[in-house]
Amino acid sequence: MIDFLIKSTIALGVFLAFYHFVLEREKMHRFNRFFLLFSIVFSLVIPFVSFEIVKEIPVNVSNQIAVNQPIIQMQNVVEETNYKLIFLWSLYVFVTLMLAIRFGTNIKNFATKISQNPAVDFKNSKLILVEEEILPYTFLNYIFVNANDYKNQNVEAELYTHELVHVTQKHTLDILFIEFLKTVFWFNPIFLFYKKAIQLNHEFLADQEIVETYNDVPFYQNLLLQKGSGNQTIYLASNLNYLVTKKRLIMMKKRTSKNTAFLKKIAALPVAMTLMSLLCIETVAQEVKTNANQVKQSDASLGKYYANTAFVFKNKNSKIAIKKQYNELTAQEKKLIPPVPTLAKKSPDSKDYEGFKNSENYAVWIDGKHVPNATLNDFQASHFVSYFNSFVYKNARSTKFPQRYQVTLYTAEGYEKAYGKDKVNGSGTITLLLNENASKNKIQKAPEKENVPVVNGIEKQPEYPEGTLAFYKFIGRTFKVPAEAGKIEGKLYLEFMVEKDGSLSEFKVVKDLGFGLGDEAIRVLKLSPKWNPGIQDGKPVRVLYKLPITIQTDK
């Protein structure tokens, strides 16, 4: 909402300034009317328009393989009532309601005058004869005139023609439109200035018609001065005397060349394009995956890395079909195994390194440990043998890490620890799903071993659309601890399938804590939007996902 108000107000202000300084003094009133109405509509729509320019940032695929999943702590917290926000919304609703009643009442007053006073057909309008001592004014296709002036023929033909212009060009619709916006956005005074500009332009249009029809500018100017003194302004109506108009008198004799008018009309286009580029275009960094993990790796290196890894192959019904160690896999089975994570050695250049010191843009990790940006002042770029950075989308940013980018740098020691040749970090269990027809995989069954916890590990793991952290925030935001649970601490373990289309299915509570907590966890997972599916051999596959949830209440 705040973003909408800021962007729309900026656009409204720029267009209005351009109108006053460039267009208003020129005799091109039809275009000016279109420009003012277009400016309002464009400014209200532009906050909802967004274009992204993708800026590619190199990042190694291997950096996405291992993710430390945070633990969710559920707490029964009594939400505090934001009385300030309630007061502000109440104030807005109250004022808007009062203005809406005023708006409706004025329209009703016109309807009452139309129904209760004599009407006379006049060209493509109706004359409404009223008893008030007024000069003619217009609402929709009705022209209100004093009954005695009409009967005594005291209304000059120029005045009738003036009001007929308001009728035929439907100026009342413009005024009703801007009045509606003033009612909704009453706290924004810029709409008041737009109303004045629109109404004055209406008078310019009507005056131009009189000058072209009667070709007697001095007489018409004197008529305005005689009739205009002391005339009241009628709300929602097109009035003869909207302003005591020095501007109107000057405009009647104004001349604008076709070339000048054309150039000034064209000048409005760059203004609109500039606003779009400033308010709608956002540069988004996109990670460009390198091929480091696609380098052919020897069977010996894979065997060493996966020496302590158990490979579990599951069928469609999520039952363990085959469980093997790496040295028991066939050549066909080894093709399904994810590559060893690697990260190329490359020190950051000095320009990038200086940029990493900016705490507003970057969150920094050294050897896997988060550090303040100022810590980089104690090092030089050459002290780091490898690094990678990535863009953090808005929904994945947190209060602790609000930066748009994050960078991890490795010293020689840290790199060796994480990616060294002698580092064996492939321990655990990797689960791979079989095709619907398991025989197509030609996987040979190995002797059964003890059951072990299942952890997914494929070419590309399934992922919540906005990232792992956002997924845990979604659970923490949606999960409701039943009141009967009282004070309870422990872990829920759940399994579910991430389908090829990203939907979640086959929910199963592996370990429950009772009190309906397992059912609540399944309810929350069913509300999750579709995930990005797991990828194997470039194609989406069904992947079993295991989720631990730590429950901790304060009761």
Side-chain angles (χ1 to χ4, degrees):
M1 184 64 176
I2 298 299
D3 186 63
F4 166 79
L5 294 176
I6 293 174
K7 287 185 177 181
S8 62
T9 301
I10 290 174
L12 286 167
V14 170
F15 279 128
L16 187 61
F18 180 82
Y19 172 77
H20 282 307
F21 289 110
V22 179
L23 302 180
E24 185 184 39
R25 296 182 179 86
E26 302 301 333
K27 204 164 188 176
M28 44 187 191
H29 309 310
R30 292 183 184 275
F31 175 81
N32 286 352
R33 181 189 181 191
F34 165 79
F35 177 83
L36 288 169
L37 294 176
F38 168 81
S39 298
I40 295 173
V41 174
F42 183 88
S43 300
L44 295 178
V45 171
I46 198 171
F48 301 102
V49 179
S50 178
F51 302 99
E52 291 186 352
I53 296 179
V54 178
K55 180 180 180 182
E56 295 183 346
I57 296 179
V59 61
N60 196 279
V61 176
S62 62
N63 301 327
Q64 300 179 3
I65 293 178
V67 178
N68 292 325
Q69 295 184 343
I71 296 176
I72 298 177
Q73 291 188 347
M74 301 292 179
Q75 298 183 358
N76 288 328
V77 180
V78 178
E79 296 185 1
E80 296 183 359
T81 304
N82 191 335
Y83 292 104
K84 182 179 179 180
L85 185 61
I86 293 175
F87 170 76
L88 291 176
W89 274 109
S90 300
L91 177 63
Y92 170 78
V93 171
F94 175 77
V95 175
T96 303
L97 182 61
M98 293 298 101
L99 293 176
I101 293 174
R102 174 176 176 262
F103 184 66
T105 300
N106 280 280
I107 293 178
K108 182 181 178 181
N109 290 340
F110 277 113
T112 301
K113 286 184 179 181
I114 292 169
S115 62
Q116 294 182 355
N117 290 285
V120 178
D121 290 331
F122 181 72
K123 297 186 178 180
N124 58 343
S125 68
K126 286 184 179 293
L127 299 179
I128 305 299
L129 308 181
V130 297
E131 298 300 324
E132 298 104 305
E133 293 291 334
I134 57 167
L135 287 176
Y137 62 87
T138 302
F139 180 78
L140 296 176
N141 63 329
Y142 300 97
I143 300 175
F144 297 82
V145 297
N146 178 264
N148 290 329
D149 289 342
Y150 173 76
K151 293 174 183 178
N152 298 327
Q153 299 183 351
N154 289 334
V155 181
E156 289 77 0
E158 287 84 353
L159 300 186
Y160 281 128
T161 304
H162 181 102
E163 299 306 320
L164 278 173
V165 174
H166 292 314
V167 172
T168 56
Q169 296 186 7
K170 304 185 185 304
H171 291 169
T172 304
L173 297 181
D174 298 358
I175 297 174
L176 290 174
F177 174 61
I178 193 65
E179 278 296 331
F180 170 77
L181 293 177
K182 281 177 58 185
T183 300
V184 177
F185 301 103
W186 52 265
F187 49 84
N188 192 341
I190 199 167
F191 289 103
L192 176 63
F193 296 106
Y194 266 92
K195 181 184 177 182
K196 291 182 178 180
I198 289 172
Q199 287 184 302
L200 181 55
N201 186 66
H202 288 171
E203 298 307 312
F204 286 159
L205 285 165
D207 291 342
Q208 182 178 358
E209 185 72 20
I210 300 300
V211 170
E212 293 175 355
T213 301
Y214 295 94
N215 196 23
D216 192 349
V217 174
F219 173 78
Y220 183 58
Q221 288 178 329
N222 289 329
L223 180 63
L224 288 181
L225 293 174
Q226 292 173 9
K227 298 290 186 177
S229 59
N231 184 42
Q232 65 200 25
T233 299
I234 307 298
Y235 180 74
L236 292 184
S238 295
N239 299 274
L240 173 63
N241 184 37
Y242 166 63
L243 292 174
V244 184
T245 342
K246 178 180 178 181
K247 289 183 178 180
R248 289 174 61 188
L249 298 178
I250 294 174
M251 187 59 69
M252 289 179 198
K253 295 185 176 182
K254 176 75 176 179
R255 294 289 183 269
T256 299
S257 68
K258 291 183 178 180
N259 290 337
T260 299
F262 175 77
L263 290 175
K264 292 198 172 186
K265 290 175 183 179
I266 292 298
L269 184 60
V271 175
M273 297 300 294
T274 302
L275 282 172
M276 289 188 66
S277 64
L278 293 176
L279 301 178
C280 298
I281 297 178
E282 180 178 0
T283 301
V284 177
Q286 177 172 295
E287 299 174 352
V288 180
K289 298 177 180 179
T290 65
N291 295 323
N293 282 339
Q294 298 175 5
V295 177
K296 186 176 181 180
Q297 297 170 334
S298 68
D299 185 71
S301 63
L302 287 173
K304 184 175 183 180
Y305 184 84
Y306 288 121
N308 299 323
T309 302
F311 295 92
V312 177
F313 297 89
K314 288 205 168 198
N315 58 19
K316 183 178 180 180
N317 297 322
S318 300
K319 295 179 180 178
I320 296 178
I322 303 169
K323 188 188 304 179
K324 295 183 177 183
Q325 297 296 322
Y326 182 83
N327 58 8
E328 299 172 330
L329 300 178
T330 66
Q332 180 70 20
E333 294 166 356
K334 288 179 180 179
K335 292 181 179 180
L336 303 177
I337 304 306
V340 175
T342 60
L343 183 64
K345 284 190 174 183
K346 181 182 179 182
S347 299
D349 60 40
S350 57
K351 184 178 179 180
D352 287 341
Y353 188 73
E354 289 301 316
F356 298 156
K357 296 178 182 180
N358 187 337
S359 60
E360 294 184 359
N361 292 334
Y362 282 92
V364 178
W365 281 260
I366 295 179
D367 294 340
K369 181 180 179 181
H370 176 255
V371 297
N373 297 66
T375 304
L376 298 182
N377 293 324
D378 300 331
F379 297 86
Q380 296 179 5
S382 58
H383 291 159
F384 300 100
V385 298
S386 184
Y387 76 102
F388 66 87
N389 57 19
S390 60
F391 176 78
V392 183
Y393 289 91
K394 289 182 180 179
N395 292 335
R397 299 172 198 165
S398 63
T399 303
K400 185 176 181 180
F401 300 115
Q403 296 90 341
R404 292 165 57 89
Y405 303 95
Q406 59 184 16
V407 59
T408 298
L409 302 106
Y410 287 99
T411 62
E413 182 182 355
Y415 182 89
E416 184 65 24
K417 184 177 180 180
Y419 299 102
K421 294 181 179 180
D422 297 328
K423 177 64 179 175
V424 180
N425 53 3
S427 60
T429 302
I430 291 179
T431 299
L432 299 173
L433 296 180
L434 303 178
N435 291 335
E436 292 184 4
N437 185 355
S439 62
K440 294 181 180 179
N441 293 279
K442 299 180 181 179
I443 297 177
Q444 301 173 2
K445 189 171 182 181
E448 289 292 334
K449 299 181 182 180
E450 70 275 11
N451 192 11
V452 294
V454 176
V455 179
N456 285 321
I458 57 175
E459 180 180 315
K460 182 178 179 181
Q461 298 184 31
E463 185 181 27
Y464 188 72
E466 297 166 358
T468 305
L469 181 60
F471 173 58
Y472 277 89
K473 287 184 177 180
F474 161 75
I475 296 178
R477 191 171 57 247
T478 313
F479 198 102
K480 306 296 182 185
V481 178
E484 60 269 21
K487 185 176 181 179
I488 186 172
E489 293 184 8
K491 279 190 177 182
L492 284 171
Y493 288 91
L494 299 101
E495 286 184 355
F496 56 90
M497 192 70 68
V498 181
E499 300 289 349
K500 294 180 182 180
D501 63 354
S503 62
L504 308 185
S505 65
E506 300 183 20
F507 305 98
K508 178 182 178 182
V509 179
V510 179
K511 178 183 176 183
D512 201 351
L513 296 176
F515 303 102
L517 292 170
D519 293 337
E520 173 63 13
I522 292 177
R523 181 192 71 83
V524 171
L525 290 174
K526 288 181 178 180
L527 296 176
S528 172
K530 287 187 176 182
W531 288 34
N532 299 324
I535 302 295
Q536 185 67 45
D537 295 330
K539 298 180 180 180
V541 293
R542 302 174 76 237
V543 179
L544 184 68
Y545 201 94
K546 189 164 184 178
L547 177 72
I549 301 179
T550 297
I551 306 294
Q552 179 179 332
T553 61
D554 295 330
K555 285 186 177 182

